[in-house]
Amino acid sequence: MKRRLLAWLNLAYHFWKHVLTRWWLRPFRRGRDLRRFRAQVEPEGYLPLPFADRAQFPDFMRCIHCGLCALACPALRAAPVTAWVEAWTFVAGPSRSLDRVALVARAAAPCARCAVCPAICPTGVPIDRLAVMIEGLAAGARAG
Amino acid sequence: MAGHLDVIVIGGGIAGVAAALESAAAGAVTAVVRAGPGATALASGAWHGPLPSLLGEALAAAGLPHLPVDTLLPHPFGDLRPADNAPATHAAARIDEAACVCGIAGLPHFPAAALARMWRAPRHVTLALPETPAAGWSPVALAAALERDPAGLIAALRQLGAGTRAILPAVLGLDPLARTAERVAAAAGVDVAEALGVPPSVPGWRLDRTLVRVLERSGVTLLEGRVVDRAVQDDVVLSVRVAVRGEPVLRELAAAAFVLATGRFVGGGIAAADGGEEVDVARGQALREASLVERALGCDVWIEHLGDRFREVQPVPLTDPVRAEPQALLRAGVHVDAAGRPRDVQDQVRYRNVTARGAVVAATSHGLGRAAAGAAGGAA
Ligand SMILES: Cc1cc2nc3c(=O)[nH]c(=O)nc-3n(C[C@H](O)[C@H](O)[C@H](O)COP(=O)(O)OP(=O)(O)OC[C@H]3O[C@@H](n4cnc5c(N)ncnc54)[C@H](O)[C@@H]3O)c2cc1C
Ligand code: SF4
Ligand code: SF4
């Protein structure tokens, strides 16, 4: 009971502190909060996605991990010694993570002029669009 | 594709190819319309069910002979699985005193020591190839690399000594015509066999490629495209409209008879209805309420769910939270009569000139052989 009361008091204190010291300052802070937010999350590997990118995710999430895109991929077959991220691992995997985005974007480079795997995907994942999005994320990560 | 067609097979997985072979052998002018690889291309290399002799001979002639299996085959999940037939490289993967489980450095999901323990194989080793990518091997990249140049693998296998049977992951070449396993075995002086595969499944890919070759060799026309619509008169399908890959307008193909071999969920034969978007054009009726649809010919989908036998007016939950038995959803499909013709909700034959075959048929059990067997066999 006592702990609960303390918790409520603590919450009320911080709420009013926020209202009195921060909230009315917001118009003057112009993007500082966003910069602070990004500084917090980006080292962890999370990039804020623009709405248009986020709207594509249901299409990407149709992936059933069948691996047919990898089996059909000409770049993967031509890779004798270089590492190559299979398309489905970047469809399925955490391609939003900053630390992986650069790696994945390098791997997705051959996708620019290739439409082999989107045509073979049984669930119609637009893998080519995902490659474009990842390139964009990687460019954003470099710029930011 | 010009001229007259007797039979159009919709779908080019194992069921569609088996049907097309039979039809061509009976002298019918036959075409296969296939959207792409389906569940057949995900198979592990173990063939469950009977292997029809016509298909078995055609597979052998096209470079992928299958042998009867008299042992349990090692699966990379760690268990030993029964199979009725398998391509020669898998059929040879007997685990006994001669077996040595061979992992490959940099290839994930094939831990030789753990697998040897689970399969009870006496020996294991992890082979290092001369050029291992820093981020590891994809099975696809490795299979392609070994097909091009197996010298590194041969050198590593020589160390095992004669009389050894090397049990390798299923990466000995993507194209069975390259005979990578045979080349490796001859040069290394050891027996070479492959464990089963998991997606991305190299054995499944080999089978799928070989099926395309089988069609080419048997005089069946193969059209890469998806049947999106059909013209129906009374209870007869007159023609199908096909979105051919790379062509902007639909092609209309007429035939006297059609085989529906579009597979289940992976193949795309059975799909969830997208709300109001799915419209059964032939009947001019919205399928808003249907929870599952058969895409190519609009046959009714039978769902074995809590006593329901066909599509429900209300959306039904498609899975059973009590998982004591395999999910009924995995047996959904079209219901057929003894001749393999799809039946509708009233139990009447839906189309007189259509037979369904393979995984699109309701309640077929899992397996390449059961999908390849004729209509009656598929409906078991
Ligand atoms: C992951 C997985 C692993 C499996 N492993 C094994 C195994 O190891 N051994 C075994 O015996 N069985 C295995 N099975 C079962 C076996 O693969 C299937 O039962 C069998 O392949 C079904 O064959 P099918 O020809 O009926 O369907 P599919 O192989 O799915 O073929 C369907 C075909 O129809 C085409 N198609 C669909 N809709 C249209 C359309 N509208 N127009 C044109 N074409 C269309 C598709 O593109 C495809 O070519 C496995 C299944 C799965 C899902
Ligand atoms: S082919 Fe499509 S469904 Fe299959 S793994 Fe690739 S993206 Fe996923
Ligand atoms: S689009 Fe990219 S991942 Fe897909 S087949 Fe082409 S190169 Fe491979």
Side-chain angles (χ1 to χ4, degrees):
Chain A
M1 188 64 206
K2 196 170 144 208
R3 286 164 62 113
R4 185 175 277 211
L5 189 70
L6 283 175
W8 275 108
L9 284 174
N10 189 29
L11 189 64
Y13 167 73
H14 281 284
F15 175 74
W16 285 109
K17 189 175 137 199
H18 181 80
V19 169
L20 293 175
T21 63
R22 312 258 333 228
W23 177 65
W24 61 275
L25 279 173
R26 258 171 97 172
F28 306 102
R29 292 170 64 91
R30 294 199 164 262
R32 236 181 82 190
D33 288 347
L34 178 62
R35 281 198 298 281
R36 268 185 57 179
F37 173 72
R38 290 186 70 137
Q40 295 289 325
V41 295
E42 283 178 6
E44 304 271 311
Y46 293 104
L47 264 188
L49 282 177
F51 184 78
D53 284 350
R54 219 171 334 144
Q56 303 199 60
F57 265 75
D59 285 348
F60 304 148
M61 286 159 62
R62 285 204 301 260
C63 175
I64 53 169
H65 305 193
C66 70
L68 285 170
C69 48
L71 285 155
C73 174
L76 190 53
R77 285 179 203 191
V81 287
T82 49
W84 175 258
V85 179
E86 294 172 8
W88 70 301
T89 67
F90 67 73
V91 174
S95 46
R96 287 176 62 186
S97 297
L98 251 194
D99 57 342
R100 288 199 31 146
V101 136
L103 178 78
V104 172
R106 232 187 352 265
C111 306
R113 254 172 264 95
C114 171
V116 170
C117 67
I120 212 159
C121 172
T123 62
V125 174
I127 304 169
D128 43 351
R129 279 203 272 129
L130 181 65
V132 170
M133 190 191 95
I134 288 169
E135 297 250 283
L137 281 177
R142 278 194 295 274
Chain B
M1 191 184 319
H4 150 94
L5 286 173
D6 296 318
V7 177
I8 292 177
V9 178
I10 312 170
I14 198 75
V17 173
L21 274 182
E22 285 166 23
S23 160
V29 182
T30 308
V32 169
V33 181
R34 142 176 163 131
T40 300
L42 309 192
S44 66
W47 179 289
H48 300 296
L51 176 56
S53 59
L54 197 58
L55 183 60
E57 284 156 23
L59 285 172
L64 194 65
H66 280 59
L67 303 176
V69 174
D70 58 357
T71 181
L72 295 172
L73 300 183
H75 189 280
F77 288 173
D79 51 336
L80 294 165
R81 298 194 176 180
D84 297 301
N85 299 278
T89 56
H90 302 287
R94 178 188 295 280
I95 304 290
D96 58 14
E97 315 78 58
C100 176
V101 179
C102 300
I104 291 178
L107 180 74
H109 313 308
F110 200 86
L115 288 175
R117 219 167 28 247
M118 290 189 278
W119 295 338
R120 300 185 188 285
R123 282 168 73 197
H124 65 85
V125 39
T126 297
L127 308 173
L129 301 182
E131 292 173 321
T132 300
W137 284 111
S138 154
V140 183
L142 180 54
L146 291 176
E147 184 177 308
R148 275 193 299 269
D149 176 15
L153 179 65
I154 290 167
L157 286 175
R158 275 212 190 103
Q159 316 298 322
L160 298 183
T164 306
R165 183 181 316 109
I167 310 287
L168 286 148
V171 293
L172 296 174
L174 279 175
D175 185 345
L177 290 184
R179 299 182 170 280
T180 308
E182 269 175 54
R183 280 153 60 207
V184 168
V190 296
D191 286 347
V192 166
E194 288 179 305
L196 300 173
V198 289
S201 170
V202 171
W205 185 256
R206 290 180 195 144
L207 175 59
D208 194 67
R209 293 299 93 182
T210 306
L211 290 178
V212 172
R213 287 194 179 125
V214 162
L215 291 180
E216 284 162 1
R217 299 165 57 104
S218 61
V220 172
T221 311
L222 174 63
L223 193 62
E224 287 210 22
R226 185 176 289 279
V227 170
V228 294
D229 198 2
R230 67 271 171 194
V232 177
Q233 196 173 52
D234 301 325
D235 52 0
V236 170
V237 175
L238 301 176
S239 64
V240 288
R241 281 187 273 277
V242 184
V244 179
R245 186 171 297 166
E247 288 182 12
V249 285
L250 298 184
R251 262 204 237 179
E252 176 137 11
L253 296 179
F258 295 81
V259 177
L260 182 68
T262 48
R264 194 165 292 136
F265 301 117
V266 179
I270 307 292
D274 293 333
E277 284 172 32
E278 292 285 342
V279 175
D280 183 332
V281 182
R283 294 195 213 169
Q285 167 192 356
L287 292 182
R288 194 180 301 273
E289 303 91 355
S291 37
L292 290 176
V293 289
E294 183 277 294
R295 277 245 161 91
L297 298 179
C299 296
D300 291 310
V301 175
W302 184 89
I303 304 164
E304 182 187 78
H305 177 80
L306 307 175
D308 302 324
R309 283 298 179 264
F310 265 107
R311 66 180 190 210
E312 272 285 284
V313 178
Q314 298 300 322
V316 292
L318 289 174
T319 50
D320 185 348
V322 182
R323 306 199 60 170
E325 285 180 29
Q327 291 287 350
L329 178 62
L330 298 181
R331 292 194 295 275
V334 300
H335 221 202
V336 295
D337 69 2
R341 293 176 301 183
R343 292 189 295 183
D344 66 11
V345 187
Q346 277 83 38
D347 235 17
Q348 302 300 310
V349 169
R350 174 73 200 268
Y351 302 119
R352 270 189 291 126
N353 63 339
V354 173
T355 47
R357 197 155 165 165
V360 74
V361 177
T364 41
S365 41
H366 188 74
L368 292 165
R370 285 179 284 264

